[in-house]
Structure formats: structure tokens, C-alpha cells
Amino acid sequence: ADQVIKKSRFIGIAKRCTSWDSAQTFIKEIREEHPKARHTCFGFVGGHNPVTERASDDGEPTGTAGPPILNGINGEELSDTVCIVVRYSGGIKLGAGGLIRAYGGTARLVLRASERKILIPKSSTRISTHSSNSGSVYATATKYQGIVENESYNDKGHLEVTITCDTADFD
């Protein structure tokens, strides 16, 4: 997304990043692509329980760039997302309200235009049980559409498996 507001150019860029480290790498790449930009502000939301959130105003007045971008990500109900808004200043001061609207609006534009991927939370557990329980283990995994992996028997004859299921309410 790209928009011009009072002679300042705002460029919005969004990418799926599953970690803060990968988001930082992407932010660095964008800064290198736009070396003459006055500000490169961003918001990042990632992870699940706990959620990691980061934002930067990059020299803009406190709270006028990073938080509105972060609000855009949260408002679109996204996770594992970094959104960057690059500003080329046009010399006209926008004021705090103008900056908030410009950064937040550019973030929303790029986020709404971006491809979305629905992620279903999954849970994995590793269990060890007597081999006589193997039938129950496989039946329960099947009941909840679980995937059984890494099956082995230890030296005591116990079955060890990893079961992965969609996170769900188990009755």
C-alpha cells in the first residue's frame, strides 16, 4: 500500500514472520531498501500463549507510529505478522493526530490487501504407557483425528508415541 498525505509518502509493507528474530531481519532488509526514508516504523505480533508484541516509532513523536501500526495488526486479528510503514517526509508537519491516522491507515491498507493464512493451533504430547494400553492409545488418537508419530518400545516394553491433534475441547 502506498499513499501520499500532505506531500509525505507512506509505504506499507507486511510479511508473515513466525518469530521476533525473523521480523527484525525483515525490518533491516526494508531499511536497506529505503536508505533515504525519514522513518521506518513497525509493529509486530507473533506467537501464541504468550503473544509477543513489538512496535517502533523510529524517531516520530512517541505513540504516533508504532502503536497505530500495532493496533492495525490486532484490529485485523492477525498474528505472526510484521507490518512496516516507511515514510518519506514532504516537509509539511502532520501533527500527532495526522501521524496516527497516516501510519494506522497505511498499515490497515496493506494488511487488508495481504494474503491471509488461517492457522489451526495444534497440541503435541509424548506419552509412555504399558504396551497393553496401545489399543486405547490408538483408538483415542483416532477419535480426535490425532496423528501418531515416533512410535517405539523402550527397554521395559512400554510404548512411546507422540500424538498431535488440533487444539479442541476434549469431552
Side-chain angles (χ1 to χ4, degrees):
D2 195 334
Q3 58 180 346
V4 177
I5 300 168
K6 292 188 178 180
K7 296 186 180 179
S8 283
R9 183 175 175 210
F10 293 86
I11 303 166
I13 304 147
K15 181 180 179 182
R16 180 172 185 266
C17 290
T18 57
S19 71
W20 173 232
D21 288 341
S22 64
Q24 287 177 300
T25 301
F26 183 63
I27 294 163
K28 183 180 177 197
E29 290 170 7
I30 296 302
R31 283 192 169 127
E32 289 170 359
E33 286 178 26
H34 297 273
K36 294 184 179 182
R38 184 78 176 107
H39 304 281
T40 304
C41 306
F42 66 84
F44 168 75
V45 177
H48 173 72
N49 199 19
V51 172
T52 301
E53 291 187 347
R54 300 278 191 272
S56 170
D57 294 316
D58 191 36
E60 292 285 21
T62 302
T64 60
I69 296 168
L70 197 57
N71 288 341
I73 297 169
N74 288 326
E76 296 296 319
E77 298 179 342
L78 300 173
S79 183
D80 296 339
T81 302
V82 64
C83 181
I84 303 167
V85 178
V86 177
R87 178 184 181 198
Y88 288 90
S89 184
I92 298 174
K93 295 205 180 275
L94 301 179
L99 289 171
I100 290 168
R101 286 187 296 278
Y103 281 103
T106 303
R108 287 286 181 127
L109 286 174
V110 70
L111 292 168
R112 288 177 180 162
S114 297
E115 179 183 341
R116 292 173 186 241
K117 184 175 184 180
I118 297 173
L119 303 175
I120 299 169
K122 297 190 179 291
S123 294
S124 290
T125 188
R126 180 98 178 135
I127 63 169
S128 177
T129 185
H130 193 274
S131 59
S132 63
N133 295 325
S134 64
S136 296
V137 168
Y138 290 107
T140 302
T142 301
K143 179 180 177 183
Y144 294 103
Q145 293 83 42
I147 298 168
V148 179
E149 302 172 300
N150 304 320
E151 302 163 70
S152 65
Y153 287 89
N154 66 20
D155 57 357
K156 295 179 184 173
H158 287 104
L159 171 66
E160 293 183 359
V161 295
T162 301
I163 301 173
T164 303
C165 298
D166 292 351
T167 301
D169 293 328
F170 295 105
D171 298 330

